[in-house]
Amino acid sequence: MEKIIDVAQYIYTEYKKISGKVIDEMKLHKLLYLVQREALAVTGQPLFPEVFEGWKYGPVCREVRNCYTEDGMFREDIQDIALESAYIVNNIILQYGALESWKLSELSHRELSWRNSRKGIPEGQNGTRELSIEDIRKDSEKVRPYDSVWDMYYDEFEDEEAE
């Protein structure tokens, strides 16, 4: 299992390679959430154990928030992530990385996990309630995983292999 800070650094680096820009913190948090959701959809297992809190603009991981700088994650113990993890992350960057942060925030507000974490919290206030991994798992059930390299949905691979 990966550490979220390692995944965050990987996203930071890959996003900069692809776009030529530094990823803003809000976008980083939303992509991390989407990576976790995608990992659950593809493998049935979370990619990392760390949790998100239901802040007003969507899921936020406090550990990443405390380490984020425009120069990358401010930690010396960053590790490379596994190739399978990188594959999932790259698909998310390619699918969602071009969207503006506010658009990703809007997408996250439709997620059951975020909505449940916000129950009882007045609109416009940050919350500290964690998003349940089981709720993220439910969110992942509505995802049809897409492979950006092969330009196919995962379930289409079975059709190709049968031919």
Side-chain angles (χ1 to χ4, degrees), residues 88-150:
I88 290 170
V89 174
N90 287 337
N91 277 320
I92 291 300
I93 294 170
L94 291 171
Q95 289 175 58
Y96 296 98
L99 297 177
E100 296 296 328
S101 298
W102 63 267
K103 183 65 175 170
L104 292 171
S105 180
E106 286 178 1
L107 289 173
S108 72
H109 288 193
R110 296 184 200 143
E111 299 291 292
L112 172 74
S113 56
W114 182 81
R115 291 192 324 265
N116 282 347
S117 76
R118 299 289 300 168
K119 288 182 178 173
I121 299 171
E123 190 172 328
Q125 289 186 8
N126 279 331
T128 57
R129 191 173 307 130
E130 293 178 1
L131 278 69
S132 153
I133 194 68
E134 288 312 312
D135 284 348
I136 299 173
R137 189 178 304 281
K138 288 176 188 168
D139 289 333
S140 77
E141 291 171 2
K142 70 178 189 324
V143 173
R144 186 177 179 207
Y146 184 76
D147 187 304
S148 298
V149 173
W150 291 95

Side-chain angles (χ1 to χ4, degrees), residues 57-108:
Y57 297 120
V60 169
C61 177
R62 202 173 282 274
E63 182 175 348
V64 172
R65 178 140 176 74
N66 292 339
C67 295
Y68 175 84
T69 71
E70 290 191 358
D71 296 322
M73 300 303 106
F74 187 67
R75 299 253 312 242
E76 293 182 16
D77 60 340
I78 300 294
Q79 302 291 315
D80 290 337
I81 63 174
L83 288 176
E84 181 181 78
S85 301
Y87 197 79
I88 290 170
V89 174
N90 287 337
N91 277 320
I92 291 300
I93 294 170
L94 291 171
Q95 289 175 58
Y96 296 98
L99 297 177
E100 296 296 328
S101 298
W102 63 267
K103 183 65 175 170
L104 292 171
S105 180
E106 286 178 1
L107 289 173
S108 72

Side-chain angles (χ1 to χ4, degrees), residues 10-21:
Y10 184 84
I11 291 171
Y12 177 94
T13 303
E14 291 302 307
Y15 180 84
K16 193 170 184 180
K17 281 182 195 173
I18 293 168
S19 71
K21 300 175 188 171

